[in-house]
């Protein structure tokens, strides 16, 4: 299938993970949209992380147009005869109202800002199984916990609560900057992943860090049950940053029990790859195609 992906080409973004998943699935993927280069989160990352994928040639025509950014103009969805879909991983903060798409695959249903209708389908975030692989054995990890990413207020509140409650007793890796293999390397060497949602959303870092063997200490979100997250079984859910500090203290002092929950979380994450998420979108697009188009795809 020819897939035209429309997105802003940040060094790290869900669109890039979707692109890589579609390529692994065997599709011809071309990308249009603004190229950012090496700027990310107000800083500059290494040039090797810049994303400059192939653009479509003049005689190349898509079988599916997939929009994966909330900040493109509305007319990017118009004028196509093939199926047009939006995969909105920011539906907790954006409504994607500018797009005239045929289908809206939205990552967050319980906190979705777009009115839910027949064109909407719940499709959770995922993780890249090539980048986020299992880490070191639990006992050999040097960090007790990690929180890598932009320290907006909610995350900073969580981090400082843990640091203040457990001064000098836990080693926490935190900050903004590491991406891809650098980001993965830190979590592969940490026992606990501290997660705080921006607006009740199940972010991709849940799947990423759980897949690397980290124990999830997270706030409860409206889609938690639908995603299969169960407090005390495959994660630890908290209501406040101070409760998160208590959970970290418990995990550090009960390593065998904490590791068992982390391993259950790792098993939970396994099926949540971007490949599986994008396959669902491809299946939908193929179902919209004319019979002769489906025969063409089947013969490849």
């Amino acid at each position: 299938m020819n897939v035209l992906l429309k997105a802003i080409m940040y060094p790290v973004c869900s669109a890039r993970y979707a692109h890589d998943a579609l390529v692994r699935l065997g599709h011809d993927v071309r990308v249009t949209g603004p190229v950012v280069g090496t700027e990310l989160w107000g800083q500059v990352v290494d040039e090797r992380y810049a994303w400059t994928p192939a653009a479509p040639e003049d005689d190349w025509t898509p079988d599916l147009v997939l929009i994966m950014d909330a900040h493109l103009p509305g007319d990017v969805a118009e004028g196509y005869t093939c199926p047009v879909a939006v995969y909105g991983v920011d539906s907790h903060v954006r409504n994607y109202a500018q797009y005239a798409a045929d289908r809206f695959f939205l990552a967050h249903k319980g906190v979705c800002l777009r009115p839910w209708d027949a064109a909407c389908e719940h499709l959770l975030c995922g993780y890249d199984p090539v980048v986020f692989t299992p880490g070191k054995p639990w006992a050999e990890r040097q960090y007790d916990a990690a929180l890598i990413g932009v320290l907006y207020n909610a995350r900073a509140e969580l981090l400082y609560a843990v640091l203040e409650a457990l001064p000098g007793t836990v080693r926490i890796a935190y900050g903004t900057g590491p991406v891809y293999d650098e980001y993965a390397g830190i979590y592969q060497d940490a026992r606990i992943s501290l997660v705080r949602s921006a607006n009740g959303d199940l972010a991709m870092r849940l799947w990423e860090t759980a897949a690397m063997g980290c124990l999830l200490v997270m706030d409860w979100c409206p889609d938690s049950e639908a995603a299969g997250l169960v407090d005390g079984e495959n994660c630890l859910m908290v209501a406040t940053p101070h409760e998160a500090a208590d959970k970290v203290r418990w995990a550090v002092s009960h390593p065998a029990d904490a590791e068992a929950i982390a391993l259950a979380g790792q098993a939970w994450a396994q099926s949540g790859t971007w490949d599986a998420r994008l396959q669902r979108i491809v299946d939908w697009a193929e179902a919209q195609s004319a019979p002769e188009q489906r025969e063409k795809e089947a013969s490849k």
Side-chain angles (χ1 to χ4, degrees), residues 177-221:
V179 296
Y180 288 110
D181 55 322
E182 297 172 349
Y183 171 96
I186 292 171
Y187 279 101
Q188 288 164 340
D189 204 14
R191 298 182 181 90
I192 299 168
S193 172
L194 297 171
V195 184
R196 180 74 180 270
S197 70
N199 184 32
D201 51 294
L202 298 180
M204 63 182 76
R205 72 174 52 235
L206 289 169
W207 283 269
E208 291 171 351
T209 58
M212 291 186 282
C214 300
L215 168 63
L216 299 177
V217 174
M218 57 177 289
D219 55 313
W220 177 88
C221 298

Side-chain angles (χ1 to χ4, degrees), residues 11-292:
V12 178
C13 58
S14 58
R16 186 169 191 175
Y17 290 128
H19 170 276
D20 294 347
L22 286 165
V23 171
R24 286 194 294 268
L25 291 169
H27 302 289
D28 185 359
V29 188
R30 309 301 172 93
V31 186
T32 61
V35 177
V36 173
T38 57
E39 293 185 15
L40 184 68
W41 304 318
Q43 54 190 1
V44 177
V45 300
D46 192 280
E47 288 185 3
R48 72 182 186 275
Y49 298 120
W51 185 30
T52 54
E57 295 91 357
D58 292 340
D59 59 349
W60 186 92
T61 58
D63 302 308
L64 165 66
V65 174
L66 180 59
I67 300 167
M68 289 204 62
D69 201 285
H71 298 288
L72 297 173
D75 58 5
V76 299
E78 300 172 356
Y80 294 98
T81 57
C82 65
V84 178
V86 169
Y87 188 5
V89 302
D90 292 324
S91 60
H92 59 302
V93 291
R94 308 292 178 193
N95 63 17
Y96 300 90
Q98 73 267 41
Y99 302 130
D102 303 305
R103 193 73 167 172
F104 291 83
F105 295 91
L106 303 173
H108 315 288
K109 186 175 182 180
V111 288
C112 186
L113 296 192
R114 177 185 173 83
W116 207 268
D117 57 30
C120 299
E121 181 174 332
H122 193 193
L123 189 63
L124 296 159
C125 287
Y127 79 100
D128 189 313
V130 175
V131 178
F132 305 110
T133 56
K136 295 180 180 179
W138 182 270
E140 297 177 11
R141 300 189 178 200
Q142 68 168 315
Y143 300 113
D144 295 300
L147 202 173
I148 303 300
V150 179
L151 288 177
Y152 54 74
N153 289 346
R155 282 183 185 160
E157 185 182 18
L158 169 61
L159 175 64
Y160 296 147
V162 175
L163 289 172
E164 290 173 4
L166 302 166
T169 61
V170 297
R171 186 173 185 185
I172 302 178
Y174 61 91
T176 303
V179 296
Y180 288 110
D181 55 322
E182 297 172 349
Y183 171 96
I186 292 171
Y187 279 101
Q188 288 164 340
D189 204 14
R191 298 182 181 90
I192 299 168
S193 172
L194 297 171
V195 184
R196 180 74 180 270
S197 70
N199 184 32
D201 51 294
L202 298 180
M204 63 182 76
R205 72 174 52 235
L206 289 169
W207 283 269
E208 291 171 351
T209 58
M212 291 186 282
C214 300
L215 168 63
L216 299 177
V217 174
M218 57 177 289
D219 55 313
W220 177 88
C221 298
D223 294 328
S224 295
E225 287 78 9
L229 287 163
V230 181
D231 182 29
E233 286 190 18
N234 51 23
C235 66
L236 296 178
M237 295 185 187
V238 301
T240 67
H242 294 293
E243 189 177 339
D246 291 339
K247 295 294 185 182
V248 171
R249 181 184 291 109
W250 174 86
V252 170
S253 59
H254 298 79
D257 294 335
E259 182 180 9
I261 297 174
L263 290 173
Q266 190 172 40
W268 162 81
Q270 294 307 303
S271 62
T273 63
W274 287 117
D275 306 56
R277 307 306 192 213
L278 272 296
Q279 184 61 55
R280 169 65 201 121
I281 297 176
V282 168
D283 289 345
W284 167 82
E286 289 180 340
Q288 313 310 304
S289 302
E292 58 270 17

